[in-house]
Amino acid sequence: MPWSATEVRLAQRPTGYPDDSTWEIATREVPDPDDGQIVVQVEYISIDPAMRGWLNDVRSYVPPVKIGAVMRAFGAGTVVSSQHPDFTEGDKVTGLFGVRDFALSSGKGVEKVEADAVSLPTHLGALGMPGMTAYFGLFEIGRPEPTDTVLVSAAAGAVGSVVVQLAKARGCRVIGVAGGPEKCVWLRELGCDEVIDHREGNLTKQVRAAAPDGVNVYFDNVGGDMLDAALANLAVGARIVICGAISAYNAEQLPEGPRRYMSLLVFRASMSGFVVTDYEARYLEAVTEIMRMISDGSLQARETVRTGGVAAFPEALLDIYRGTNTGKLVLKV
Amino acid sequence: MPWSATEVRLAQRPTGYPDDSTWEIATREVPDPDDGQIVVQVEYISIDPAMRGWLNDVRSYVPPVKIGAVMRAFGAGTVVSSQHPDFTEGDKVTGLFGVRDFALSSGKGVEKVEADAVSLPTHLGALGMPGMTAYFGLFEIGRPEPTDTVLVSAAAGAVGSVVVQLAKARGCRVIGVAGGPEKCVWLRELGCDEVIDHREGNLTKQVRAAAPDGVNVYFDNVGGDMLDAALANLAVGARIVICGAISAYNAEQLPEGPRRYMSLLVFRASMSGFVVTDYEARYLEAVTEIMRMISDGSLQARETVRTGGVAAFPEALLDIYRGTNTGKLVLKV
């Protein structure tokens, strides 16, 4: 039996924030799978800050989403039909299924997941790309020592909240930055030694007060003023991990860069970017470690589940830039 | 016999470019040396881009020059009186003697140099701090492989010209950036595979044309638009060495930062600062290698010698920001 899939396609490239003209919501017949194919019923769609970048027609670490194509997205769901030797009906899976409720797939990049102990949204969060990003960004680029002070921005987000907890487990002093009292309370629960509410006044002064001896590792998810505040408060030999710059993703013009970058010289520091898929061959190591920490209670995986189905995707995407989520933002189909 | 020294003191901290109100020129009696002291007649004063930063009352890698104190400067000259066991009259030496013609010194940080084979100005240039900066910045931070493309800004300057030649000796493809045809001709003589005149149009396009496969190592002496042009043209895994930012040193307000810093993420690249004095224990290694290259003709050490004596220091310092020098700028006393 074929399925009728609802999907969100890119209608035109946005300038600034995406709006109604950016998207087209359409339906498509999904046929029965051919040999080597599966059909997945998508139950959760991952909403990621990086999505905005995928809409720009520029050279980057992945090609841009094409006009007319289904919006790229990770998702989690159930195999509802399989002609693929590795999958059977009922398997719980994650993969790049796009923003739609039924997806035909060759199985490439599709992972079977254990959905009894850990929920599907967690497989898109702490055990998914955000968790991998946290793990390899922190340990491979940030390289924290147990005596280090680690500063994390967007610390109540999908990546940041895992970074905070991995750094605490490593023995570091951890400073989490988030917006609003609710997130800040959660950051204390996660073990942050200091919490900065970026809505509460001068960032540079707040970082200085929280890290009087300087920051050894800054895990940057936001860019903008926060990056400058960190640069102004480095310790000698500091490492800045450039993971994202959510403050800039919807800017209509390329925003100003970090004015205080010459702090890199003064503090003999480095600022490095990375792309998580470069570490794909080692994902199992990270999944195993994060799973172990979830199991023994030393890592909290939290998700904000938005309802409304596929058609709610355009609003859900704006939510991530508004910072309304705590932990991983997923859209329930 | 005591000496009458002419010296340049910091009268007040400048905003923007230093001017007449910045400096006071005065004389001072230099007494005969006490036990453990020497008196040096300074013959050449090193004019360095970093000097402008030493005038600012901010936390940096060295303390600021105090108001009323003699301006900090490297110099080279001759011991004219010694009560120090390691020095005798007639020794040629380099050290932080300040902007003056006679200096009393404890001998701390003073190096005896061989002035027969190599001139005193070269001991302030390719064999001095600029040469050390080039060597350790390139090899420790830039870490070029023989197959790499190395981009160098201010490539006809004291540091840049040594970086160019060390990178060529390592087998790299080298792109030098300088201002004006005379410097560009010299860069070709030094072996640059491509030369960019930064006065000749769009920097990003010029870098792209010279490095179509991207830049593996960018040695940055200037900051500003040049840094953005490099960021826009990185190869995967590139290293940016932050050695200086001469374009910004006299700005009245902190200039904009590198807008294209998110290229660090796209290209999995890093941007790192360093301070040459951290490598002091290894200077002999660098001096030996650069001396060997000078001797066998594989490294050209060039200096622009400005005349006018100590009193010409204020103008000589402005010269370095005007870029009038080719190679190392020194002031002849």
Side-chain angles (χ1 to χ4, degrees):
Chain A
M1 58 157 174
W3 291 264
S4 174
T6 303
E7 61 188 27
V8 174
R9 298 175 188 161
L10 179 61
Q12 64 176 31
R13 301 198 184 281
T15 305
Y17 284 93
D19 61 22
D20 286 352
S21 71
T22 307
W23 309 110
E24 180 197 7
I25 300 178
T27 57
R28 175 202 300 256
E29 287 286 275
V30 174
D32 282 320
D34 271 344
D35 250 22
Q37 290 185 322
I38 56 176
V39 172
V40 175
Q41 179 167 12
V42 179
E43 293 165 49
Y44 295 94
I45 293 168
S46 177
I47 309 292
D48 293 287
M51 284 174 153
R52 180 63 187 82
W54 303 343
L55 305 181
N56 295 332
D57 193 16
V58 294
R59 182 183 171 202
S60 188
Y61 61 96
V62 288
V65 177
K66 288 201 175 73
I67 302 286
V70 176
M71 177 59 189
R72 182 186 294 143
F74 287 94
T78 306
V79 175
V80 290
S81 186
S82 177
Q83 297 291 334
H84 191 296
D86 298 343
F87 298 94
T88 50
E89 228 173 277
D91 281 348
K92 299 295 183 184
V93 290
T94 60
L96 267 175
F97 301 129
V99 179
R100 54 186 154 197
D101 48 7
F102 288 93
L104 186 69
S105 166
S106 68
K108 201 184 151 212
V110 176
E111 297 287 334
K112 282 197 276 193
V113 298
E114 175 50 70
D116 293 333
V118 174
S119 74
L120 281 182
T122 298
H123 283 292
L124 294 176
L127 290 170
M129 202 61 78
M132 302 300 98
T133 301
Y135 185 94
F136 293 103
L138 181 65
F139 292 132
E140 294 299 313
I141 313 293
R143 303 181 307 278
E145 298 292 327
T147 52
D148 281 349
T149 293
V150 177
L151 176 68
V152 185
S153 60
V159 174
S161 58
V162 177
V163 173
V164 162
Q165 296 175 88
L166 293 176
K168 282 308 299 176
R170 183 61 53 107
C172 304
R173 188 163 171 276
V174 178
I175 306 167
V177 185
E182 189 196 344
K183 291 181 183 178
C184 288
V185 166
W186 187 50
L187 288 182
R188 295 232 179 248
E189 274 179 39
L190 296 187
C192 279
D193 299 277
E194 299 280 346
V195 173
I196 292 174
D197 185 340
H198 63 72
R199 298 176 189 166
E200 299 294 330
N202 185 289
L203 280 170
T204 302
K205 286 182 187 163
Q206 288 198 79
V207 175
R208 182 150 306 149
D213 297 328
V215 169
N216 303 98
V217 176
Y218 172 46
F219 196 104
D220 189 27
N221 291 306
V222 303
D225 291 343
M226 186 60 221
L227 177 51
D228 270 324
L231 280 163
N233 288 287
L234 297 180
V236 168
R239 286 83 65 200
I240 297 179
V241 183
I242 300 294
C243 177
I246 197 169
S247 71
Y249 289 164
N250 290 283
E252 300 196 10
Q253 294 182 320
L254 197 59
E256 284 187 21
R259 283 181 182 243
R260 300 206 167 274
Y261 83 98
M262 282 297 285
S263 284
L264 297 177
L265 186 154
V266 174
F267 297 107
R268 298 83 153 150
S270 68
M271 183 153 92
S272 308
F274 73 105
V275 172
V276 66
T277 48
D278 291 349
Y279 299 93
E280 204 164 354
R282 292 175 53 197
Y283 282 176
L284 183 61
E285 164 196 336
V287 167
T288 304
E289 173 62 8
I290 295 171
M291 189 64 220
R292 186 192 64 70
M293 291 176 70
I294 291 174
S295 304
D296 74 12
S298 62
L299 191 141
Q300 281 190 39
R302 181 156 162 181
E303 299 89 26
T304 296
V305 179
R306 202 187 192 288
T307 53
V310 168
F313 170 77
E315 269 303 310
L317 182 60
L318 294 177
D319 279 350
I320 197 119
Y321 301 115
R322 292 182 190 119
T324 54
N325 56 300
T326 301
K328 174 71 193 143
L329 181 62
V330 295
L331 176 62
K332 191 171 184 346
V333 179
Chain B
M1 57 160 178
W3 293 263
S4 172
T6 303
E7 61 188 28
V8 174
R9 299 176 188 159
L10 179 62
Q12 65 175 30
R13 301 196 184 283
T15 305
Y17 284 92
D19 61 21
D20 286 350
S21 70
T22 307
W23 311 108
E24 180 196 6
I25 300 179
T27 57
R28 173 199 302 253
E29 287 286 276
V30 175
D32 280 320
D34 271 344
D35 249 23
Q37 292 184 323
I38 56 176
V39 172
V40 176
Q41 180 168 11
V42 179
E43 293 165 50
Y44 295 95
I45 293 168
S46 176
I47 309 293
D48 294 287
M51 285 176 152
R52 181 62 188 82
W54 303 343
L55 305 181
N56 295 332
D57 194 17
V58 295
R59 181 182 173 203
S60 188
Y61 62 95
V62 287
V65 177
K66 289 201 176 74
I67 302 286
V70 174
M71 178 59 189
R72 181 185 294 142
F74 287 95
T78 305
V79 175
V80 290
S81 186
S82 176
Q83 297 292 335
H84 191 296
D86 297 345
F87 298 94
T88 51
E89 227 172 277
D91 281 350
K92 299 295 183 184
V93 291
T94 60
L96 267 175
F97 301 129
V99 179
R100 53 186 155 197
D101 48 7
F102 288 93
L104 187 69
S105 165
S106 68
K108 199 183 154 214
V110 176
E111 297 286 335
K112 282 197 276 192
V113 299
E114 176 50 68
D116 294 332
V118 174
S119 73
L120 282 181
T122 298
H123 283 291
L124 294 176
L127 290 170
M129 202 61 80
M132 303 299 99
T133 302
Y135 185 95
F136 293 104
L138 181 65
F139 292 132
E140 294 298 312
I141 313 293
R143 303 184 305 281
E145 298 291 328
T147 51
D148 281 349
T149 293
V150 177
L151 175 68
V152 185
S153 60
V159 175
S161 58
V162 178
V163 172
V164 162
Q165 296 175 89
L166 293 176
K168 281 308 299 176
R170 183 61 54 109
C172 305
R173 191 166 167 274
V174 178
I175 306 167
V177 185
E182 190 197 343
K183 291 181 184 177
C184 289
V185 166
W186 188 48
L187 289 181
R188 297 233 179 247
E189 275 178 39
L190 296 186
C192 279
D193 301 278
E194 299 280 346
V195 173
I196 291 173
D197 185 340
H198 62 74
R199 299 177 189 163
E200 298 294 328
N202 186 288
L203 280 170
T204 301
K205 285 181 187 162
Q206 288 198 79
V207 176
R208 182 151 307 149
D213 297 328
V215 169
N216 303 99
V217 176
Y218 172 47
F219 196 104
D220 189 26
N221 291 304
V222 303
D225 292 343
M226 186 61 223
L227 178 51
D228 270 324
L231 280 162
N233 288 288
L234 297 180
V236 168
R239 288 83 66 201
I240 296 179
V241 183
I242 300 294
C243 178
I246 198 169
S247 71
Y249 289 163
N250 291 282
E252 299 196 11
Q253 294 181 320
L254 197 60
E256 287 186 19
R259 283 179 183 244
R260 299 208 167 274
Y261 83 98
M262 283 296 285
S263 284
L264 297 177
L265 186 153
V266 174
F267 296 106
R268 299 84 154 151
S270 68
M271 182 153 91
S272 308
F274 73 106
V275 173
V276 65
T277 47
D278 291 349
Y279 299 92
E280 206 165 352
R282 292 175 54 198
Y283 282 176
L284 183 60
E285 164 195 337
V287 167
T288 303
E289 173 63 7
I290 294 170
M291 189 64 220
R292 187 192 63 71
M293 290 175 71
I294 291 174
S295 304
D296 74 11
S298 62
L299 191 140
Q300 281 190 40
R302 182 156 163 179
E303 299 89 27
T304 297
V305 179
R306 202 189 192 286
T307 54
V310 168
F313 170 78
E315 269 303 308
L317 183 59
L318 293 177
D319 279 351
I320 198 120
Y321 302 115
R322 293 182 191 120
T324 54
N325 56 300
T326 302
K328 172 70 192 146
L329 180 61
V330 296
L331 177 62
K332 190 171 183 352
V333 179

